[in-house]
């Protein structure tokens, strides 16, 4: 067959890389990772990408992997969260979900149980007092603090006397009790009014009050997300760490990462991610990377898995 001199020359066949870039799967999110705004954050992200098998990815649950909802029992992992974790987990040393919820509740609401590919996932519940791992599928936990039963019995009277019973919602967490004010007529006023009475109640029974986003949690002392994260990083002998959170309870984990950065001769690079910042500016001010909420956190984890 003769050639047509006016016909354009055929374009060279694309390489595998250019073909995948030109025609991504319809559901695929952009592969570019957002750049941390701080030098320590950029160093940590580079370390995670360079040696992912020595990196721990630690995440809060509510507000980070799951959207905040009026009824905590209705909270579920954001769509795509499990898929992103399955893509990332085999490539890193471990993924740890660190939450104030009971470990079993976080596993159930997250949909983590029995998922192929999540062998490197652990859930540290009740701020690290409980532990569930995907390999065994079991929760390991100490006996409950005796003060919890006493607080449970006295709490209705405290709420009634404070005039804050209407609109508050009590969440039973097994090893802790949380009082939510998000449903009150004036959520912030109710939150502030309850701080003193609940603090006194907790102190009488050897507990502490952990404030959060319109929630006051009465729980045992001695364990927080910072302690849990630092212990887990040491246990895994990690060379880098990422922590993502959204609430006041995550400040302890932020402090732990900041300390890990400066410990020893070199320290451990750490990336601090804030999921949303409207309600907890204290977290946003210390973060290396701001993401709008759980949807963006999930997209970031998926992009990180692809970059690795």
């Amino acid at each position: 067959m003769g050639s047509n001199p006016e016909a354009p020359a055929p374009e060279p066949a694309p390489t595998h890389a250019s073909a995948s870039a030109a025609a991504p799967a319809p559901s695929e999110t952009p592969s570019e990772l957002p750049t941390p705004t701080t030098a320590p954050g950029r160093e940590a992200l580079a370390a995670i990408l360079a040696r992912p098998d020595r990196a721990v990815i630690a995440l809060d649950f509510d507000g980070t992997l799951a959207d905040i909802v009026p009824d905590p029992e209705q909270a579920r992992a954001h769509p795509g969260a499990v898929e992103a974790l399955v893509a990332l987990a085999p490539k890193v040393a471990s993924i740890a979900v660190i939450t104030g919820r009971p470990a079993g509740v976080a596993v159930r609401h997250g949909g983590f149980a029995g998922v192929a590919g999540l062998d490197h996932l652990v859930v540290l519940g009740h701020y690290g007092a409980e532990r569930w791992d995907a390999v065994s599928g079991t929760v390991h936990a100490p006996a409950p603090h005796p003060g919890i039963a006493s607080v449970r019995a006295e709490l209705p009277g405290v709420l009634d006397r404070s005039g804050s019973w209407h609109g508050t919602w009590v969440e039973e967490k097994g090893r802790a009790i949380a009082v939510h004010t998000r449903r009150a007529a004036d959520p912030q006023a109710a939150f502030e009014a309850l701080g003193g009475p609940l603090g006194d109640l907790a102190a009488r029974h050897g507990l502490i009050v952990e404030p959060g986003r319109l929630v006051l949690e009465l729980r045992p002392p001695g364990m927080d997300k910072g302690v849990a994260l630092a212990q887990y990083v040491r246990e895994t002998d990690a060379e880098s760490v990422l922590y993502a959170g959204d609430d006041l309870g995550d400040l302890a984990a932020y402090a732990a990462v900041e300390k890990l950065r400066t410990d020893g001769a070199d320290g451990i690079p750490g990336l601090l991610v804030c999921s949303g910042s409207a309600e907890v500016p204290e977290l946003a001010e210390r973060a290396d990377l701001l993401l709008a909420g759980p949807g963006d956190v999930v997209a970031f984890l998926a992009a990180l898995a692809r970059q690795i």
Side-chain angles (χ1 to χ4, degrees), residues 122-187:
V122 301
V123 176
L124 304 178
H126 279 305
Y127 303 90
E130 294 184 346
R131 178 167 174 165
W132 175 93
D133 67 88
V135 174
S136 70
T138 58
V139 174
H140 303 276
H145 190 287
I148 293 296
S150 301
V151 164
R152 183 179 293 114
E154 295 182 30
L155 183 57
V158 171
L159 294 176
D160 187 50
R161 289 191 297 273
S162 69
S164 301
W165 181 263
H166 183 69
T168 58
W169 186 85
V170 176
E171 180 187 6
E172 285 283 352
K173 303 178 75 170
R175 299 173 188 279
I177 297 176
V179 179
H180 297 261
T181 66
R182 193 173 292 273
R183 299 177 184 175
D186 187 337

Side-chain angles (χ1 to χ4, degrees), residues 6-205:
E6 296 182 1
E11 293 191 11
T15 63
H16 176 74
S18 62
S20 61
S27 62
E28 185 174 318
T29 55
S31 61
E32 293 80 8
L33 286 168
T35 302
T37 58
T38 68
R42 291 190 291 272
E43 176 189 354
L45 182 56
I48 292 168
L49 292 171
R51 291 291 303 276
D53 59 319
R54 302 302 299 276
V56 164
I57 308 299
L59 310 157
D60 173 44
F61 186 73
D62 292 283
T64 303
L65 284 178
D67 289 308
I68 296 292
V69 293
D71 182 356
E73 287 303 307
Q74 301 304 313
R76 296 294 182 270
H78 195 278
V82 171
E83 181 181 356
L85 294 176
V86 167
L88 183 59
K91 301 179 179 181
V92 297
S94 180
I95 294 178
V97 175
I98 306 178
T99 174
R101 286 183 182 268
V105 171
V107 170
R108 185 170 67 252
H109 289 192
F112 303 140
V115 177
L118 284 186
D119 292 353
H120 289 191
L121 176 72
V122 301
V123 176
L124 304 178
H126 279 305
Y127 303 90
E130 294 184 346
R131 178 167 174 165
W132 175 93
D133 67 88
V135 174
S136 70
T138 58
V139 174
H140 303 276
H145 190 287
I148 293 296
S150 301
V151 164
R152 183 179 293 114
E154 295 182 30
L155 183 57
V158 171
L159 294 176
D160 187 50
R161 289 191 297 273
S162 69
S164 301
W165 181 263
H166 183 69
T168 58
W169 186 85
V170 176
E171 180 187 6
E172 285 283 352
K173 303 178 75 170
R175 299 173 188 279
I177 297 176
V179 179
H180 297 261
T181 66
R182 193 173 292 273
R183 299 177 184 175
D186 187 337
Q188 187 62 36
F191 176 85
E192 294 171 0
L194 282 171
L198 292 185
D200 293 341
L201 174 63
R204 287 201 303 273
H205 298 290

